[in-house]
Amino acid sequence: MAYLLLYVDDIILTTSSETLRQSIISLLSSEFAMKDLGHLNYFLGIAVTRHSQGLFLSQKKYAEEILTRAGMSSCKSCPTPIDTKPKMSATHSIPYEDPSLFHSLAGALQYLTFTRPDIS
């Protein structure tokens, strides 16, 4: 059995045997310029740790990076992170000073909640 994940120009390959893995790498290398970067450590915001029982996947580092980019790394947690009495309005609110940062953070949070629906 083999699983191959392809994202743009990155490939993750895992197989049930080393012989099968080498065979697939050899076939791919004959068609494409490739290099083997070894064991997977971090990919698309997911940290990978190897254990005897398998792999442990974590997005802790990715979530911490989002908090740092938003300037919220020192904030305290609370059971309801949203103000239940909103004070914003379409006519009396100050525009966000850096829309590109806001869009980047919104996209990062969207990706995080797609991959971790338990924290959305």
Side-chain angles (χ1 to χ4, degrees), residues 9-105:
D9 62 350
D10 294 320
I11 297 173
I12 296 176
L13 174 65
T14 186
T15 61
S16 56
S17 73
E18 181 61 23
T19 307
L20 178 59
R21 189 181 75 81
Q22 287 299 330
S23 173
I24 293 171
I25 288 175
S26 176
L27 288 169
L28 288 171
S29 295
S30 68
E31 295 292 326
F32 307 102
M34 296 178 37
K35 61 180 167 180
D36 188 353
L37 298 176
H39 292 296
L40 181 63
N41 293 313
Y42 195 76
F43 186 72
L44 296 178
I46 302 170
V48 180
T49 308
R50 300 177 72 80
H51 295 283
S52 58
Q53 297 86 10
L55 301 175
F56 177 75
L57 307 177
S58 170
Q59 288 186 292
K60 179 181 178 185
K61 179 180 173 188
Y62 182 70
E64 288 172 346
E65 288 171 356
I66 294 171
L67 290 172
T68 300
R69 281 190 2 225
M72 298 179 67
S73 57
S74 63
C75 291
K76 306 281 187 260
S77 64
C78 64
T80 306
I82 299 172
D83 188 352
T84 56
K85 296 179 181 146
K87 297 163 187 68
M88 295 178 68
S89 77
T91 57
H92 295 96
S93 59
I94 300 169
Y96 197 76
E97 64 187 50
D98 185 359
S100 62
L101 175 62
F102 175 77
H103 293 161
S104 170
L105 291 171

